């Protein structure tokens, strides 16, 4: 199977796993060893200001204080994952996912954001989603997910409550019209 890195996973309407129901995940890595991504449409009842406070970062000059923090998935919920536009180069613990999307897990970016610096376009997630080798492929065969190439416009320019439908729209699909019953032909 080809890599689904820089692709969205759209939860099918019949996917009832409470961790993923109604979710749009963005895959940051996918190879023979498995896959890793973050859910990008489930904001927590927490602002970035509250996260800065927990981390004891002075955010009095931050323009990002009111930004939401997202539930990124059930794995490593004590760790932060920051999807952002731009390069991974200036940040520690960063990978370039696509030409204009990077993933950073380092405190240097959060510190910069608290000081009013850092990227303008970002999604801060607590936790991530992971799949062991072959697990995602099996879930795709079971019709748990739809896939579509990722887009920074959906990630960073679309309100979180509209991201799932926007990604489905790229495929020409209205998820509201899909059956909650899974099937195979």
């Amino acid at each position: 199977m080809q890599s689904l890195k820089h692709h969205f996973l759209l939860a099918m309407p019949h996917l009832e796993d409470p961790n993923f129901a109604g979710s749009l995940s963005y895959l940051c890595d996918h190879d023979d060893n498995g896959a890793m991504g973050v859910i990008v449409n489930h904001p927590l009842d927490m602002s970035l200001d509250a996260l800065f406070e927990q981390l004891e970062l002075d955010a009095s000059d931050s323009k990002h204080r009111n930004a939401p923090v997202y539930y990124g998935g059930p794995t490593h919920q004590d760790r932060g994952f920051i999807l952002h536009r731009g390069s991974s180069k200036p940040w520690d613990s960063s990978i370039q996912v696509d030409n204009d999307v990077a993933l950073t897990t380092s405190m240097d970016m959060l510190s910069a954001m608290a000081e009013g610096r850092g990227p303008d376009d970002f999604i801060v997630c607590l936790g991530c989603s992971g799949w062991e080798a072959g697990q995602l492929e099996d879930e795709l065969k079971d019709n748990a997910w739809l896939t579509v190439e990722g887009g920074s416009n959906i990630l960073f320019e679309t309100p979180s409550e509209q991201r799932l439908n926007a990604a489905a729209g790229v495929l020409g699909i209205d998820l509201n019209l899909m059956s909650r019953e899974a099937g195979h032909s």
Side-chain angles (χ1 to χ4, degrees):
M1 174 173 241
Q2 74 175 25
S3 174
L4 293 176
K5 179 179 178 179
H6 182 61
H7 277 69
F8 289 122
L9 290 180
L10 295 76
M12 292 292 283
H14 63 272
L15 182 60
E16 294 181 0
D17 179 328
N19 292 305
F20 296 104
S23 71
L24 178 68
S25 298
Y26 176 76
L27 289 180
C28 301
D29 196 16
H30 181 228
D31 59 24
D32 292 338
N33 297 315
M36 178 270 174
V38 290
I39 297 170
V40 296
N41 67 328
H42 289 170
L44 296 168
D45 189 21
M46 170 189 258
S47 69
L48 202 48
D49 194 42
L51 184 61
F52 290 150
E53 190 175 308
Q54 281 183 353
L55 298 171
E56 299 179 0
L57 295 171
D58 177 14
S60 55
D61 293 330
S62 178
K63 59 186 174 189
H64 305 301
R65 293 173 40 195
N66 294 322
V69 175
Y70 290 80
Y71 170 75
T75 306
H76 302 300
Q77 290 185 352
D78 58 336
R79 293 186 56 197
F81 298 83
I82 307 167
L83 273 180
H84 58 94
R85 263 201 176 123
S87 175
S88 62
K89 296 248 188 275
W91 310 107
D92 296 333
S93 303
S94 294
I95 60 167
Q96 198 69 41
V97 180
D98 191 57
N99 292 336
D100 65 342
V101 180
L103 177 72
T104 299
T105 60
S106 61
M107 276 297 293
D108 65 331
M109 180 176 280
L110 281 174
S111 295
M113 292 168 75
E115 295 167 2
R117 300 179 297 113
D120 288 326
D121 296 322
F122 62 87
I123 298 172
V124 175
C125 299
L126 291 180
C128 67
S129 304
W131 292 264
E132 295 178 0
Q135 182 182 2
L136 179 57
E137 291 78 4
D138 289 343
E139 292 179 13
L140 289 167
K141 288 176 192 170
D142 288 339
N143 295 317
W145 305 99
L146 289 174
T147 63
V148 66
E149 186 172 355
S152 60
N153 60 326
I154 292 174
L155 287 171
F156 304 118
E157 298 167 23
T158 305
S160 62
E161 67 276 4
Q162 296 173 16
R163 289 179 187 148
L164 178 61
N165 286 328
V170 172
L171 296 170
I173 294 172
D174 182 345
L175 291 174
N176 297 316
L177 300 176
M178 295 185 78
S179 170
R180 295 186 55 83
E181 300 298 318
H184 297 274
S185 54

